[in-house]
């Protein structure tokens, strides 16, 4: 493919918060021969200006900025082939659907959306426009997760009958969801949708199946003012910036001490009043921090899953029991705060253990060639798949709108189960093709 702009795939990006830098940096720096940014869009001009400066500092040609109210105008003037959606979760469907209607394919951050009505809007728009939606499930591309898929697919433990999956978010990364917009379930669907969509997608991918029934329990056990009061805390604040009480709080996020966070949020809050540094022990939190889910899949395998958002370490353990043995994995990930440091280190794997225990044989350790970069090396492989030259993928890791829908269904059903105390039949919520 040539180097002229006309021969490159044209991308517009909406939502210039923390996650957007992964995409615009890759296009401007690593995939400039195949891709170009033709516009960026956000509700906040200060954040737009920051992203624009970063993009152009990487050697990309000047990129026009548009406010979200001018989304249609951006598509008309910039003529992108694809739109990258990295806005807050509750608005994903708005821009996905409109981009499809205006003739663009879409790349969207996870979760694809946060509830069934919005999901139906996306499914309907794909059907009537014949455009494509891809969901960026970077964990599929992490070498250790791909290897798990490969081992299961090989039949090394024969038929998988049950899985135990425990995910720990530590008091740096986990707490961060309770400082920002995610703390309101209306924005994020709660962690069982926003965060666990990664994990439920991995199970769907590993098993090549979909959830059938879901039962869940979930509570706010650690964060929030009431829990802090019960532990004897007496000093509270609404946000860290300008607060004396926050100075000695290990959970406080000090935006003015980090140039990137300051530019993205502290300097931008005069436009929209969004505070990135809210107290994790304040009122107004409507999501859970302690969750347990039981899922039966269409292939009859059963999952027990837990998510804890205040653990002393970051990472996960997963075990697969099969009719021919057992596969065990433990992955310790690096601690981070979104946009608080080098993006390539976010979720990087610090240690990986993968152990195969066949029946009547000695256990053996499976070696993993660790990938560089964020999310266990998955980010870089995903980005090559998105923006590089087309290459076949024997693992079929590219995720469609159907995969995006299937991944949120477990979390949506789990949220409904928490509210009702009932076992939820997933097809009663949404019957996917």
């Amino acid at each position: 493919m040539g180097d002229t702009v006309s021969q490159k795939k044209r991308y517009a990006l909406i939502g210039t918060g923390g996650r957007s830098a992964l995409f615009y940096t890759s296009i401007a720096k690593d995939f400039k021969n195949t891709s170009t940014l033709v516009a960026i869009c956000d509700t906040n001009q200060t954040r737009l200006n920051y992203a624009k400066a970063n993009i152009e500092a990487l050697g990309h040609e000047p990129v026009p900025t548009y406010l979200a109210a001018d989304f249609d105008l951006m598509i008309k003037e910039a003529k992108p082939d694809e739109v990258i959606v990295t806005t807050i979760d509750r608005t994903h469907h708005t821009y996905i659907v409109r981009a499809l209607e205006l003739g663009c394919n879409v790349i969207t951050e996870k979760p694809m959306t946060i509830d069934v009505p919005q999901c139906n809007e996306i499914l309907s728009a794909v059907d009537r426009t014949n455009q494509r939606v891809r969901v960026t499930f970077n964990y599929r591309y992490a070498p250790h997760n791909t290897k798990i898929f490969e081992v299961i697919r090989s039949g090394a433990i024969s038929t998988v009958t049950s899985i135990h999956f425990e995910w720990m978010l530590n008091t740096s990364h986990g707490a961060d969801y309770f400082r920002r917009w995610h703390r309101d379930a209306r924005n994020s669907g709660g962690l069982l949708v926003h965060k666990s969509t990664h994990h439920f997608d991995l199970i769907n991918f590993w098993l090549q199946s979909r959830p059938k029934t879901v039962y869940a329990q979930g509570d706010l056990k650690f964060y929030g003012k009431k829990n802090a009061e019960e532990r004897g805390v007496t000093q509270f604040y609404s946000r860290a910036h300008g607060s004396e009480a926050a100075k000695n709080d290990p959970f406080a996020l000090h935006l003015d001490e980090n140039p990137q966070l300051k530019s993205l949020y502290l300097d931008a809050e005069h436009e929209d009043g969004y505070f990135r540094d809210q107290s994790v022990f304040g009122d107004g939190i409507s999501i859970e921090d302690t969750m347990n889910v039981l899922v039966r899949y269409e292939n009859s395998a059963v999952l027990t899953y837990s998510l804890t958002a205040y653990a002393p370490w970051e990472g996960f353990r997963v075990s697969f029991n099969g009719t021919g043995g057992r596969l065990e994995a433990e992955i310790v990930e690096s601690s981070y705060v979104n946009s608080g440091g080098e993006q390539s280190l976010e979720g990087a794997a610090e240690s990986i253990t993968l152990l195969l225990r066949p029946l009547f044989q000695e256990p053996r350790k499976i070696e993993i060639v660790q990938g560089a970069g964020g999310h266990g090396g998955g980010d870089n492989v995903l980005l090559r798949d998105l923006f590089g030259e087309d290459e076949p993928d024997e693992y079929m890791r590219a995720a469609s709108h159907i995969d995006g829908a299937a991944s949120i269904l477990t979390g949506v059903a789990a949220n409904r189960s928490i509210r009702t105390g009932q076992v939820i039949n997933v097809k009663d919520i949404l019957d996917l093709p």
Side-chain angles (χ1 to χ4, degrees), residues 401-422:
H401 64 293
I402 298 296
D403 297 314
S407 75
I408 69 163
L409 279 180
T410 307
V412 169
N415 283 336
R416 185 173 296 189
S417 180
I418 290 170
R419 292 194 303 269
T420 64
Q422 302 297 310

Side-chain angles (χ1 to χ4, degrees), residues 198-347:
H198 265 318
H199 315 153
F200 297 140
D201 175 70
L202 279 175
I203 296 293
N204 295 345
F205 171 63
W206 285 330
L207 296 182
Q208 293 294 289
S209 189
R210 293 179 185 168
K212 183 177 181 180
T213 60
V214 177
Y215 175 74
Q217 294 187 347
D219 297 283
L220 187 66
K221 295 278 193 182
F222 184 79
Y223 300 109
K225 190 170 185 179
K226 178 177 180 291
N227 291 321
E229 287 173 337
E230 289 176 353
R231 292 193 296 271
V233 175
T234 57
Q235 282 195 317
F236 294 93
Y237 57 92
S238 60
R239 63 171 305 193
H241 186 65
S243 169
E244 285 295 319
K247 288 183 177 178
N248 297 316
D249 179 10
F251 288 92
L253 183 67
H254 301 288
L255 299 175
D256 55 350
E257 296 176 3
N258 183 293
Q260 184 166 291
L261 290 173
K262 180 178 183 295
S263 297
L264 273 173
Y265 301 108
L266 188 61
D267 294 347
E269 62 188 35
H270 68 279
E271 289 192 44
D272 53 22
Y274 171 58
F275 299 141
R276 173 66 176 80
D277 59 346
Q278 296 175 78
S279 169
V280 301
F281 300 117
D283 287 324
I285 295 172
S286 57
I287 65 173
E288 298 81 15
D289 57 23
T290 309
M291 292 140 280
N292 298 87
V293 185
L294 181 66
V295 185
R296 181 176 292 278
Y297 286 81
E298 291 179 355
N299 69 354
S300 82
V302 174
L303 166 73
T304 55
Y305 169 85
S306 70
L307 178 64
T308 302
Y310 48 91
W313 68 281
E314 179 92 4
F316 69 94
R317 294 189 180 108
V318 62
S319 301
F320 301 83
N321 296 303
T323 55
R326 178 178 168 93
L327 180 65
E328 302 171 349
E330 179 178 290
I331 288 80
V332 179
E333 295 187 351
S334 59
S335 179
Y336 69 96
V337 169
N338 186 274
S339 301
E342 176 61 44
Q343 189 134 33
S344 66
L345 299 179
E346 292 189 357

